[in-house]
Amino acid sequence: MLKNEKWLTDLAFLTDITMHLNTINLELQDKGKTIIELISVVNAFKSKLQLMKDQLKGKDLKHFPSLKTRIPQMNYDTYEAELSNILGQFEMRFYDCSKLANIA
């Protein structure tokens, strides 16, 4: 596997996106945050995912340091689709939060 360029590029993407997911996970576990602050964290992350997707479309790898090292082997469309999938999952899993955000 360590000689398979596509696999290594996928691993680089996974490493980068896991870093971002870990960051939001830690933010959501902070003690003492109100529901409004937690909703704000989720909404900010959804916006960040959209930004990362748009930047990836423009071949800007600012948020993907590991992936940046794999540029020659990259298929940007695959990773844009993965970001869309993650964004969709966040929309689905935090649907109730979006309803609460309209109330607050």
PDB file of all heavy atoms in Angstrom, residues 5-17 49 52-54 56-57 61 64 67-68 70-71 73-87:
ATOM      1  N   GLU A   5       0.292   5.264  -5.106  1.00  0.00           N
ATOM      2  CA  GLU A   5       0.193   6.723  -5.040  1.00  0.00           C
ATOM      3  C   GLU A   5      -1.217   7.209  -4.709  1.00  0.00           C
ATOM      4  O   GLU A   5      -1.393   8.152  -3.944  1.00  0.00           O
ATOM      5  CB  GLU A   5       0.675   7.351  -6.353  1.00  0.00           C
ATOM      6  CG  GLU A   5       2.150   7.146  -6.627  1.00  0.00           C
ATOM      7  CD  GLU A   5       3.048   7.785  -5.568  1.00  0.00           C
ATOM      8  OE1 GLU A   5       2.710   8.865  -5.064  1.00  0.00           O
ATOM      9  OE2 GLU A   5       4.090   7.184  -5.246  1.00  0.00           O
ATOM     10  N   LYS A   6      -2.223   6.584  -5.282  1.00  0.00           N
ATOM     11  CA  LYS A   6      -3.606   6.999  -4.997  1.00  0.00           C
ATOM     12  C   LYS A   6      -3.935   6.765  -3.526  1.00  0.00           C
ATOM     13  O   LYS A   6      -4.540   7.611  -2.870  1.00  0.00           O
ATOM     14  CB  LYS A   6      -4.602   6.258  -5.886  1.00  0.00           C
ATOM     15  CG  LYS A   6      -6.036   6.720  -5.600  1.00  0.00           C
ATOM     16  CD  LYS A   6      -7.054   6.014  -6.428  1.00  0.00           C
ATOM     17  CE  LYS A   6      -8.478   6.389  -6.134  1.00  0.00           C
ATOM     18  NZ  LYS A   6      -8.804   7.096  -4.932  1.00  0.00           N
ATOM     19  N   TRP A   7      -3.533   5.628  -3.007  1.00  0.00           N
ATOM     20  CA  TRP A   7      -3.785   5.317  -1.611  1.00  0.00           C
ATOM     21  C   TRP A   7      -3.098   6.326  -0.701  1.00  0.00           C
ATOM     22  O   TRP A   7      -3.675   6.795   0.276  1.00  0.00           O
ATOM     23  CB  TRP A   7      -3.315   3.896  -1.291  1.00  0.00           C
ATOM     24  CG  TRP A   7      -3.700   3.430   0.067  1.00  0.00           C
ATOM     25  CD1 TRP A   7      -4.878   2.836   0.424  1.00  0.00           C
ATOM     26  CD2 TRP A   7      -2.927   3.534   1.265  1.00  0.00           C
ATOM     27  NE1 TRP A   7      -4.873   2.558   1.779  1.00  0.00           N
ATOM     28  CE2 TRP A   7      -3.681   2.983   2.314  1.00  0.00           C
ATOM     29  CE3 TRP A   7      -1.663   4.043   1.552  1.00  0.00           C
ATOM     30  CZ2 TRP A   7      -3.221   2.916   3.618  1.00  0.00           C
ATOM     31  CZ3 TRP A   7      -1.206   3.979   2.855  1.00  0.00           C
ATOM     32  CH2 TRP A   7      -1.982   3.420   3.873  1.00  0.00           C
ATOM     33  N   LEU A   8      -1.869   6.696  -1.025  1.00  0.00           N
ATOM     34  CA  LEU A   8      -1.138   7.677  -0.229  1.00  0.00           C
ATOM     35  C   LEU A   8      -1.796   9.056  -0.287  1.00  0.00           C
ATOM     36  O   LEU A   8      -1.842   9.780   0.715  1.00  0.00           O
ATOM     37  CB  LEU A   8       0.316   7.759  -0.693  1.00  0.00           C
ATOM     38  CG  LEU A   8       1.173   6.539  -0.357  1.00  0.00           C
ATOM     39  CD1 LEU A   8       2.530   6.639  -1.051  1.00  0.00           C
ATOM     40  CD2 LEU A   8       1.345   6.392   1.140  1.00  0.00           C
ATOM     41  N   THR A   9      -2.320   9.408  -1.451  1.00  0.00           N
ATOM     42  CA  THR A   9      -3.013  10.689  -1.593  1.00  0.00           C
ATOM     43  C   THR A   9      -4.312  10.672  -0.795  1.00  0.00           C
ATOM     44  O   THR A   9      -4.638  11.646  -0.109  1.00  0.00           O
ATOM     45  CB  THR A   9      -3.289  10.990  -3.082  1.00  0.00           C
ATOM     46  OG1 THR A   9      -2.041  10.940  -3.795  1.00  0.00           O
ATOM     47  CG2 THR A   9      -3.898  12.364  -3.267  1.00  0.00           C
ATOM     48  N   ASP A  10      -5.038   9.569  -0.856  1.00  0.00           N
ATOM     49  CA  ASP A  10      -6.255   9.434  -0.046  1.00  0.00           C
ATOM     50  C   ASP A  10      -5.931   9.515   1.441  1.00  0.00           C
ATOM     51  O   ASP A  10      -6.665  10.138   2.214  1.00  0.00           O
ATOM     52  CB  ASP A  10      -6.962   8.112  -0.349  1.00  0.00           C
ATOM     53  CG  ASP A  10      -7.584   8.069  -1.733  1.00  0.00           C
ATOM     54  OD1 ASP A  10      -7.725   9.136  -2.366  1.00  0.00           O
ATOM     55  OD2 ASP A  10      -7.942   6.956  -2.170  1.00  0.00           O
ATOM     56  N   LEU A  11      -4.845   8.901   1.849  1.00  0.00           N
ATOM     57  CA  LEU A  11      -4.423   8.947   3.245  1.00  0.00           C
ATOM     58  C   LEU A  11      -4.083  10.377   3.660  1.00  0.00           C
ATOM     59  O   LEU A  11      -4.423  10.806   4.769  1.00  0.00           O
ATOM     60  CB  LEU A  11      -3.217   8.024   3.469  1.00  0.00           C
ATOM     61  CG  LEU A  11      -2.664   7.994   4.888  1.00  0.00           C
ATOM     62  CD1 LEU A  11      -3.706   7.455   5.864  1.00  0.00           C
ATOM     63  CD2 LEU A  11      -1.388   7.144   4.931  1.00  0.00           C
ATOM     64  N   ALA A  12      -3.456  11.138   2.782  1.00  0.00           N
ATOM     65  CA  ALA A  12      -3.128  12.533   3.079  1.00  0.00           C
ATOM     66  C   ALA A  12      -4.412  13.345   3.287  1.00  0.00           C
ATOM     67  O   ALA A  12      -4.504  14.146   4.226  1.00  0.00           O
ATOM     68  CB  ALA A  12      -2.291  13.131   1.950  1.00  0.00           C
ATOM     69  N   PHE A  13      -5.402  13.127   2.425  1.00  0.00           N
ATOM     70  CA  PHE A  13      -6.689  13.816   2.591  1.00  0.00           C
ATOM     71  C   PHE A  13      -7.344  13.411   3.911  1.00  0.00           C
ATOM     72  O   PHE A  13      -7.829  14.258   4.663  1.00  0.00           O
ATOM     73  CB  PHE A  13      -7.627  13.503   1.418  1.00  0.00           C
ATOM     74  CG  PHE A  13      -9.000  14.085   1.592  1.00  0.00           C
ATOM     75  CD1 PHE A  13      -9.221  15.431   1.353  1.00  0.00           C
ATOM     76  CD2 PHE A  13     -10.061  13.295   2.009  1.00  0.00           C
ATOM     77  CE1 PHE A  13     -10.485  15.984   1.526  1.00  0.00           C
ATOM     78  CE2 PHE A  13     -11.322  13.838   2.193  1.00  0.00           C
ATOM     79  CZ  PHE A  13     -11.535  15.183   1.943  1.00  0.00           C
ATOM     80  N   LEU A  14      -7.348  12.129   4.196  1.00  0.00           N
ATOM     81  CA  LEU A  14      -7.943  11.630   5.434  1.00  0.00           C
ATOM     82  C   LEU A  14      -7.247  12.230   6.657  1.00  0.00           C
ATOM     83  O   LEU A  14      -7.901  12.615   7.624  1.00  0.00           O
ATOM     84  CB  LEU A  14      -7.872  10.104   5.473  1.00  0.00           C
ATOM     85  CG  LEU A  14      -8.455   9.433   6.713  1.00  0.00           C
ATOM     86  CD1 LEU A  14      -9.957   9.707   6.817  1.00  0.00           C
ATOM     87  CD2 LEU A  14      -8.178   7.939   6.684  1.00  0.00           C
ATOM     88  N   THR A  15      -5.945  12.340   6.598  1.00  0.00           N
ATOM     89  CA  THR A  15      -5.183  12.936   7.696  1.00  0.00           C
ATOM     90  C   THR A  15      -5.615  14.377   7.929  1.00  0.00           C
ATOM     91  O   THR A  15      -5.861  14.789   9.062  1.00  0.00           O
ATOM     92  CB  THR A  15      -3.678  12.882   7.382  1.00  0.00           C
ATOM     93  OG1 THR A  15      -3.292  11.523   7.203  1.00  0.00           O
ATOM     94  CG2 THR A  15      -2.853  13.516   8.485  1.00  0.00           C
ATOM     95  N   ASP A  16      -5.718  15.143   6.855  1.00  0.00           N
ATOM     96  CA  ASP A  16      -6.088  16.554   6.969  1.00  0.00           C
ATOM     97  C   ASP A  16      -7.520  16.734   7.466  1.00  0.00           C
ATOM     98  O   ASP A  16      -7.774  17.538   8.362  1.00  0.00           O
ATOM     99  CB  ASP A  16      -5.914  17.268   5.626  1.00  0.00           C
ATOM    100  CG  ASP A  16      -4.451  17.406   5.232  1.00  0.00           C
ATOM    101  OD1 ASP A  16      -3.588  17.422   6.132  1.00  0.00           O
ATOM    102  OD2 ASP A  16      -4.180  17.502   4.017  1.00  0.00           O
ATOM    103  N   ILE A  17      -8.454  15.995   6.908  1.00  0.00           N
ATOM    104  CA  ILE A  17      -9.857  16.179   7.297  1.00  0.00           C
ATOM    105  C   ILE A  17     -10.076  15.678   8.726  1.00  0.00           C
ATOM    106  O   ILE A  17     -10.863  16.261   9.480  1.00  0.00           O
ATOM    107  CB  ILE A  17     -10.832  15.521   6.289  1.00  0.00           C
ATOM    108  CG1 ILE A  17     -12.232  16.128   6.426  1.00  0.00           C
ATOM    109  CG2 ILE A  17     -10.879  14.037   6.424  1.00  0.00           C
ATOM    110  CD1 ILE A  17     -12.338  17.570   6.074  1.00  0.00           C
ATOM    111  N   LEU A  49     -16.338  24.040   6.186  1.00  0.00           N
ATOM    112  CA  LEU A  49     -16.368  22.948   5.209  1.00  0.00           C
ATOM    113  C   LEU A  49     -16.700  23.469   3.815  1.00  0.00           C
ATOM    114  O   LEU A  49     -16.091  23.055   2.827  1.00  0.00           O
ATOM    115  CB  LEU A  49     -17.386  21.880   5.626  1.00  0.00           C
ATOM    116  CG  LEU A  49     -16.980  20.930   6.729  1.00  0.00           C
ATOM    117  CD1 LEU A  49     -18.173  20.075   7.153  1.00  0.00           C
ATOM    118  CD2 LEU A  49     -15.826  20.040   6.294  1.00  0.00           C
ATOM    119  N   MET A  52     -13.658  25.256   2.528  1.00  0.00           N
ATOM    120  CA  MET A  52     -12.637  24.294   2.106  1.00  0.00           C
ATOM    121  C   MET A  52     -13.003  23.672   0.763  1.00  0.00           C
ATOM    122  O   MET A  52     -12.142  23.479  -0.100  1.00  0.00           O
ATOM    123  CB  MET A  52     -12.443  23.209   3.163  1.00  0.00           C
ATOM    124  CG  MET A  52     -11.754  23.706   4.411  1.00  0.00           C
ATOM    125  SD  MET A  52     -11.262  22.404   5.566  1.00  0.00           S
ATOM    126  CE  MET A  52     -12.828  21.758   6.113  1.00  0.00           C
ATOM    127  N   LYS A  53     -14.270  23.370   0.591  1.00  0.00           N
ATOM    128  CA  LYS A  53     -14.738  22.789  -0.674  1.00  0.00           C
ATOM    129  C   LYS A  53     -14.526  23.775  -1.822  1.00  0.00           C
ATOM    130  O   LYS A  53     -14.012  23.407  -2.882  1.00  0.00           O
ATOM    131  CB  LYS A  53     -16.213  22.419  -0.548  1.00  0.00           C
ATOM    132  CG  LYS A  53     -16.794  21.744  -1.752  1.00  0.00           C
ATOM    133  CD  LYS A  53     -18.246  21.423  -1.518  1.00  0.00           C
ATOM    134  CE  LYS A  53     -18.923  21.229  -2.847  1.00  0.00           C
ATOM    135  NZ  LYS A  53     -20.351  21.332  -2.789  1.00  0.00           N
ATOM    136  N   ASP A  54     -14.906  25.033  -1.599  1.00  0.00           N
ATOM    137  CA  ASP A  54     -14.728  26.052  -2.636  1.00  0.00           C
ATOM    138  C   ASP A  54     -13.255  26.282  -2.947  1.00  0.00           C
ATOM    139  O   ASP A  54     -12.869  26.438  -4.111  1.00  0.00           O
ATOM    140  CB  ASP A  54     -15.380  27.371  -2.213  1.00  0.00           C
ATOM    141  CG  ASP A  54     -16.892  27.284  -2.127  1.00  0.00           C
ATOM    142  OD1 ASP A  54     -17.470  26.325  -2.692  1.00  0.00           O
ATOM    143  OD2 ASP A  54     -17.507  28.161  -1.479  1.00  0.00           O
ATOM    144  N   LEU A  56     -10.831  24.112  -2.504  1.00  0.00           N
ATOM    145  CA  LEU A  56     -10.329  22.920  -3.180  1.00  0.00           C
ATOM    146  C   LEU A  56     -10.709  22.951  -4.659  1.00  0.00           C
ATOM    147  O   LEU A  56      -9.916  22.559  -5.512  1.00  0.00           O
ATOM    148  CB  LEU A  56     -10.878  21.665  -2.500  1.00  0.00           C
ATOM    149  CG  LEU A  56     -10.218  20.348  -2.847  1.00  0.00           C
ATOM    150  CD1 LEU A  56      -8.744  20.372  -2.501  1.00  0.00           C
ATOM    151  CD2 LEU A  56     -10.893  19.218  -2.099  1.00  0.00           C
ATOM    152  N   LYS A  57     -11.896  23.449  -4.936  1.00  0.00           N
ATOM    153  CA  LYS A  57     -12.345  23.567  -6.335  1.00  0.00           C
ATOM    154  C   LYS A  57     -11.412  24.494  -7.114  1.00  0.00           C
ATOM    155  O   LYS A  57     -11.125  24.271  -8.283  1.00  0.00           O
ATOM    156  CB  LYS A  57     -13.782  24.093  -6.371  1.00  0.00           C
ATOM    157  CG  LYS A  57     -14.431  24.009  -7.704  1.00  0.00           C
ATOM    158  CD  LYS A  57     -15.883  24.431  -7.609  1.00  0.00           C
ATOM    159  CE  LYS A  57     -16.672  23.726  -8.674  1.00  0.00           C
ATOM    160  NZ  LYS A  57     -18.095  23.776  -8.435  1.00  0.00           N
ATOM    161  N   LEU A  61      -5.004  24.640  -1.522  1.00  0.00           N
ATOM    162  CA  LEU A  61      -4.874  23.595  -0.510  1.00  0.00           C
ATOM    163  C   LEU A  61      -4.452  24.151   0.852  1.00  0.00           C
ATOM    164  O   LEU A  61      -3.795  23.467   1.634  1.00  0.00           O
ATOM    165  CB  LEU A  61      -3.878  22.532  -0.982  1.00  0.00           C
ATOM    166  CG  LEU A  61      -4.249  21.826  -2.282  1.00  0.00           C
ATOM    167  CD1 LEU A  61      -3.129  20.914  -2.741  1.00  0.00           C
ATOM    168  CD2 LEU A  61      -5.536  21.053  -2.110  1.00  0.00           C
ATOM    169  N   PHE A  64      -5.249  21.981   3.731  1.00  0.00           N
ATOM    170  CA  PHE A  64      -4.865  20.578   3.549  1.00  0.00           C
ATOM    171  C   PHE A  64      -3.347  20.440   3.413  1.00  0.00           C
ATOM    172  O   PHE A  64      -2.836  20.144   2.327  1.00  0.00           O
ATOM    173  CB  PHE A  64      -5.553  20.010   2.300  1.00  0.00           C
ATOM    174  CG  PHE A  64      -7.048  20.047   2.379  1.00  0.00           C
ATOM    175  CD1 PHE A  64      -7.761  21.085   1.806  1.00  0.00           C
ATOM    176  CD2 PHE A  64      -7.739  19.053   3.038  1.00  0.00           C
ATOM    177  CE1 PHE A  64      -9.141  21.134   1.890  1.00  0.00           C
ATOM    178  CE2 PHE A  64      -9.111  19.084   3.127  1.00  0.00           C
ATOM    179  CZ  PHE A  64      -9.821  20.125   2.549  1.00  0.00           C
ATOM    180  N   LEU A  67      -2.163  16.984   2.089  1.00  0.00           N
ATOM    181  CA  LEU A  67      -2.574  16.793   0.697  1.00  0.00           C
ATOM    182  C   LEU A  67      -1.729  17.640  -0.240  1.00  0.00           C
ATOM    183  O   LEU A  67      -1.470  17.254  -1.372  1.00  0.00           O
ATOM    184  CB  LEU A  67      -4.059  17.142   0.558  1.00  0.00           C
ATOM    185  CG  LEU A  67      -4.789  16.675  -0.687  1.00  0.00           C
ATOM    186  CD1 LEU A  67      -4.660  15.172  -0.874  1.00  0.00           C
ATOM    187  CD2 LEU A  67      -6.246  17.083  -0.619  1.00  0.00           C
ATOM    188  N   LYS A  68      -1.272  18.773   0.243  1.00  0.00           N
ATOM    189  CA  LYS A  68      -0.452  19.675  -0.567  1.00  0.00           C
ATOM    190  C   LYS A  68       0.821  18.989  -1.050  1.00  0.00           C
ATOM    191  O   LYS A  68       1.313  19.278  -2.139  1.00  0.00           O
ATOM    192  CB  LYS A  68      -0.094  20.917   0.244  1.00  0.00           C
ATOM    193  CG  LYS A  68       0.490  22.042  -0.561  1.00  0.00           C
ATOM    194  CD  LYS A  68       0.839  23.233   0.321  1.00  0.00           C
ATOM    195  CE  LYS A  68      -0.399  24.027   0.619  1.00  0.00           C
ATOM    196  NZ  LYS A  68      -0.105  25.301   1.293  1.00  0.00           N
ATOM    197  N   ARG A  70       1.027  16.040  -2.064  1.00  0.00           N
ATOM    198  CA  ARG A  70       0.657  15.012  -3.043  1.00  0.00           C
ATOM    199  C   ARG A  70       0.093  15.622  -4.325  1.00  0.00           C
ATOM    200  O   ARG A  70      -0.548  14.930  -5.099  1.00  0.00           O
ATOM    201  CB  ARG A  70      -0.397  14.081  -2.443  1.00  0.00           C
ATOM    202  CG  ARG A  70      -0.092  13.519  -1.082  1.00  0.00           C
ATOM    203  CD  ARG A  70       1.014  12.521  -1.035  1.00  0.00           C
ATOM    204  NE  ARG A  70       0.859  11.514  -2.064  1.00  0.00           N
ATOM    205  CZ  ARG A  70       1.848  10.734  -2.459  1.00  0.00           C
ATOM    206  NH1 ARG A  70       3.040  10.840  -1.937  1.00  0.00           N
ATOM    207  NH2 ARG A  70       1.636   9.838  -3.376  1.00  0.00           N
ATOM    208  N   ILE A  71       0.307  16.889  -4.577  1.00  0.00           N
ATOM    209  CA  ILE A  71      -0.334  17.607  -5.686  1.00  0.00           C
ATOM    210  C   ILE A  71      -0.276  16.864  -7.023  1.00  0.00           C
ATOM    211  O   ILE A  71      -1.297  16.743  -7.682  1.00  0.00           O
ATOM    212  CB  ILE A  71       0.227  19.036  -5.816  1.00  0.00           C
ATOM    213  CG1 ILE A  71      -0.235  19.857  -4.630  1.00  0.00           C
ATOM    214  CG2 ILE A  71      -0.206  19.696  -7.118  1.00  0.00           C
ATOM    215  CD1 ILE A  71       0.349  21.235  -4.562  1.00  0.00           C
ATOM    216  N   GLN A  73      -0.401  13.850  -7.833  1.00  0.00           N
ATOM    217  CA  GLN A  73      -1.253  12.659  -7.909  1.00  0.00           C
ATOM    218  C   GLN A  73      -2.710  12.970  -7.596  1.00  0.00           C
ATOM    219  O   GLN A  73      -3.519  12.068  -7.504  1.00  0.00           O
ATOM    220  CB  GLN A  73      -0.751  11.600  -6.908  1.00  0.00           C
ATOM    221  CG  GLN A  73       0.616  11.043  -7.213  1.00  0.00           C
ATOM    222  CD  GLN A  73       1.742  11.932  -6.719  1.00  0.00           C
ATOM    223  OE1 GLN A  73       1.557  12.764  -5.859  1.00  0.00           O
ATOM    224  NE2 GLN A  73       2.913  11.773  -7.305  1.00  0.00           N
ATOM    225  N   MET A  74      -3.071  14.237  -7.452  1.00  0.00           N
ATOM    226  CA  MET A  74      -4.401  14.578  -6.952  1.00  0.00           C
ATOM    227  C   MET A  74      -5.497  14.553  -7.999  1.00  0.00           C
ATOM    228  O   MET A  74      -5.297  14.978  -9.118  1.00  0.00           O
ATOM    229  CB  MET A  74      -4.380  15.976  -6.332  1.00  0.00           C
ATOM    230  CG  MET A  74      -3.947  15.945  -4.917  1.00  0.00           C
ATOM    231  SD  MET A  74      -4.338  17.469  -4.106  1.00  0.00           S
ATOM    232  CE  MET A  74      -6.049  17.646  -4.406  1.00  0.00           C
ATOM    233  N   ASN A  75      -6.649  14.094  -7.566  1.00  0.00           N
ATOM    234  CA  ASN A  75      -7.880  14.239  -8.317  1.00  0.00           C
ATOM    235  C   ASN A  75      -8.796  15.087  -7.440  1.00  0.00           C
ATOM    236  O   ASN A  75      -9.410  14.589  -6.501  1.00  0.00           O
ATOM    237  CB  ASN A  75      -8.513  12.877  -8.604  1.00  0.00           C
ATOM    238  CG  ASN A  75      -9.823  13.003  -9.343  1.00  0.00           C
ATOM    239  OD1 ASN A  75     -10.301  14.097  -9.607  1.00  0.00           O
ATOM    240  ND2 ASN A  75     -10.410  11.876  -9.672  1.00  0.00           N
ATOM    241  N   TYR A  76      -8.838  16.373  -7.719  1.00  0.00           N
ATOM    242  CA  TYR A  76      -9.572  17.311  -6.874  1.00  0.00           C
ATOM    243  C   TYR A  76     -11.054  16.969  -6.762  1.00  0.00           C
ATOM    244  O   TYR A  76     -11.663  17.175  -5.716  1.00  0.00           O
ATOM    245  CB  TYR A  76      -9.415  18.741  -7.406  1.00  0.00           C
ATOM    246  CG  TYR A  76      -8.031  19.302  -7.227  1.00  0.00           C
ATOM    247  CD1 TYR A  76      -7.064  19.162  -8.213  1.00  0.00           C
ATOM    248  CD2 TYR A  76      -7.690  19.982  -6.066  1.00  0.00           C
ATOM    249  CE1 TYR A  76      -5.799  19.692  -8.045  1.00  0.00           C
ATOM    250  CE2 TYR A  76      -6.419  20.507  -5.884  1.00  0.00           C
ATOM    251  CZ  TYR A  76      -5.476  20.357  -6.886  1.00  0.00           C
ATOM    252  OH  TYR A  76      -4.229  20.872  -6.711  1.00  0.00           O
ATOM    253  N   ASP A  77     -11.645  16.465  -7.838  1.00  0.00           N
ATOM    254  CA  ASP A  77     -13.078  16.169  -7.838  1.00  0.00           C
ATOM    255  C   ASP A  77     -13.456  15.151  -6.767  1.00  0.00           C
ATOM    256  O   ASP A  77     -14.500  15.271  -6.121  1.00  0.00           O
ATOM    257  CB  ASP A  77     -13.521  15.653  -9.212  1.00  0.00           C
ATOM    258  CG  ASP A  77     -13.385  16.704 -10.300  1.00  0.00           C
ATOM    259  OD1 ASP A  77     -13.376  17.904  -9.954  1.00  0.00           O
ATOM    260  OD2 ASP A  77     -13.278  16.323 -11.476  1.00  0.00           O
ATOM    261  N   THR A  78     -12.622  14.162  -6.570  1.00  0.00           N
ATOM    262  CA  THR A  78     -12.893  13.129  -5.560  1.00  0.00           C
ATOM    263  C   THR A  78     -12.992  13.749  -4.176  1.00  0.00           C
ATOM    264  O   THR A  78     -13.903  13.449  -3.411  1.00  0.00           O
ATOM    265  CB  THR A  78     -11.771  12.073  -5.566  1.00  0.00           C
ATOM    266  OG1 THR A  78     -11.714  11.486  -6.861  1.00  0.00           O
ATOM    267  CG2 THR A  78     -12.015  11.002  -4.525  1.00  0.00           C
ATOM    268  N   TYR A  79     -12.074  14.636  -3.867  1.00  0.00           N
ATOM    269  CA  TYR A  79     -12.031  15.221  -2.533  1.00  0.00           C
ATOM    270  C   TYR A  79     -13.102  16.293  -2.350  1.00  0.00           C
ATOM    271  O   TYR A  79     -13.612  16.458  -1.243  1.00  0.00           O
ATOM    272  CB  TYR A  79     -10.625  15.731  -2.225  1.00  0.00           C
ATOM    273  CG  TYR A  79      -9.628  14.609  -2.376  1.00  0.00           C
ATOM    274  CD1 TYR A  79      -8.648  14.646  -3.338  1.00  0.00           C
ATOM    275  CD2 TYR A  79      -9.731  13.463  -1.586  1.00  0.00           C
ATOM    276  CE1 TYR A  79      -7.759  13.593  -3.505  1.00  0.00           C
ATOM    277  CE2 TYR A  79      -8.863  12.405  -1.749  1.00  0.00           C
ATOM    278  CZ  TYR A  79      -7.878  12.471  -2.707  1.00  0.00           C
ATOM    279  OH  TYR A  79      -7.029  11.424  -2.866  1.00  0.00           O
ATOM    280  N   GLU A  80     -13.471  16.967  -3.418  1.00  0.00           N
ATOM    281  CA  GLU A  80     -14.612  17.889  -3.348  1.00  0.00           C
ATOM    282  C   GLU A  80     -15.881  17.114  -3.017  1.00  0.00           C
ATOM    283  O   GLU A  80     -16.695  17.548  -2.196  1.00  0.00           O
ATOM    284  CB  GLU A  80     -14.809  18.614  -4.683  1.00  0.00           C
ATOM    285  CG  GLU A  80     -13.820  19.707  -4.962  1.00  0.00           C
ATOM    286  CD  GLU A  80     -14.044  20.290  -6.344  1.00  0.00           C
ATOM    287  OE1 GLU A  80     -15.185  20.696  -6.648  1.00  0.00           O
ATOM    288  OE2 GLU A  80     -13.076  20.329  -7.118  1.00  0.00           O
ATOM    289  N   ALA A  81     -16.044  15.971  -3.646  1.00  0.00           N
ATOM    290  CA  ALA A  81     -17.213  15.121  -3.381  1.00  0.00           C
ATOM    291  C   ALA A  81     -17.209  14.636  -1.933  1.00  0.00           C
ATOM    292  O   ALA A  81     -18.263  14.594  -1.287  1.00  0.00           O
ATOM    293  CB  ALA A  81     -17.241  13.939  -4.345  1.00  0.00           C
ATOM    294  N   GLU A  82     -16.053  14.292  -1.417  1.00  0.00           N
ATOM    295  CA  GLU A  82     -15.964  13.847  -0.018  1.00  0.00           C
ATOM    296  C   GLU A  82     -16.341  14.982   0.932  1.00  0.00           C
ATOM    297  O   GLU A  82     -17.046  14.765   1.917  1.00  0.00           O
ATOM    298  CB  GLU A  82     -14.558  13.336   0.304  1.00  0.00           C
ATOM    299  CG  GLU A  82     -14.256  11.988  -0.290  1.00  0.00           C
ATOM    300  CD  GLU A  82     -15.199  10.901   0.191  1.00  0.00           C
ATOM    301  OE1 GLU A  82     -15.616  10.902   1.357  1.00  0.00           O
ATOM    302  OE2 GLU A  82     -15.532  10.028  -0.629  1.00  0.00           O
ATOM    303  N   LEU A  83     -15.882  16.198   0.641  1.00  0.00           N
ATOM    304  CA  LEU A  83     -16.251  17.340   1.477  1.00  0.00           C
ATOM    305  C   LEU A  83     -17.748  17.608   1.399  1.00  0.00           C
ATOM    306  O   LEU A  83     -18.374  17.938   2.406  1.00  0.00           O
ATOM    307  CB  LEU A  83     -15.460  18.583   1.071  1.00  0.00           C
ATOM    308  CG  LEU A  83     -13.996  18.587   1.487  1.00  0.00           C
ATOM    309  CD1 LEU A  83     -13.275  19.800   0.904  1.00  0.00           C
ATOM    310  CD2 LEU A  83     -13.850  18.567   2.999  1.00  0.00           C
ATOM    311  N   SER A  84     -18.341  17.447   0.225  1.00  0.00           N
ATOM    312  CA  SER A  84     -19.788  17.598   0.085  1.00  0.00           C
ATOM    313  C   SER A  84     -20.515  16.562   0.928  1.00  0.00           C
ATOM    314  O   SER A  84     -21.525  16.866   1.573  1.00  0.00           O
ATOM    315  CB  SER A  84     -20.217  17.450  -1.375  1.00  0.00           C
ATOM    316  OG  SER A  84     -19.776  18.539  -2.131  1.00  0.00           O
ATOM    317  N   ASN A  85     -20.003  15.344   0.931  1.00  0.00           N
ATOM    318  CA  ASN A  85     -20.591  14.273   1.727  1.00  0.00           C
ATOM    319  C   ASN A  85     -20.507  14.600   3.221  1.00  0.00           C
ATOM    320  O   ASN A  85     -21.487  14.438   3.952  1.00  0.00           O
ATOM    321  CB  ASN A  85     -19.884  12.950   1.423  1.00  0.00           C
ATOM    322  CG  ASN A  85     -20.521  11.782   2.132  1.00  0.00           C
ATOM    323  OD1 ASN A  85     -21.709  11.781   2.435  1.00  0.00           O
ATOM    324  ND2 ASN A  85     -19.716  10.780   2.405  1.00  0.00           N
ATOM    325  N   ILE A  86     -19.360  15.070   3.667  1.00  0.00           N
ATOM    326  CA  ILE A  86     -19.194  15.431   5.082  1.00  0.00           C
ATOM    327  C   ILE A  86     -20.122  16.575   5.447  1.00  0.00           C
ATOM    328  O   ILE A  86     -20.774  16.551   6.495  1.00  0.00           O
ATOM    329  CB  ILE A  86     -17.721  15.780   5.383  1.00  0.00           C
ATOM    330  CG1 ILE A  86     -16.836  14.544   5.228  1.00  0.00           C
ATOM    331  CG2 ILE A  86     -17.577  16.383   6.785  1.00  0.00           C
ATOM    332  CD1 ILE A  86     -15.350  14.841   5.211  1.00  0.00           C
ATOM    333  N   LEU A  87     -20.220  17.563   4.579  1.00  0.00           N
ATOM    334  CA  LEU A  87     -21.112  18.699   4.817  1.00  0.00           C
ATOM    335  C   LEU A  87     -22.562  18.221   4.892  1.00  0.00           C
ATOM    336  O   LEU A  87     -23.321  18.641   5.774  1.00  0.00           O
ATOM    337  CB  LEU A  87     -20.941  19.750   3.725  1.00  0.00           C
ATOM    338  CG  LEU A  87     -21.692  21.052   3.878  1.00  0.00           C
ATOM    339  CD1 LEU A  87     -21.343  21.748   5.190  1.00  0.00           C
ATOM    340  CD2 LEU A  87     -21.385  21.976   2.712  1.00  0.00           C
TER     341      LEU A  87
END
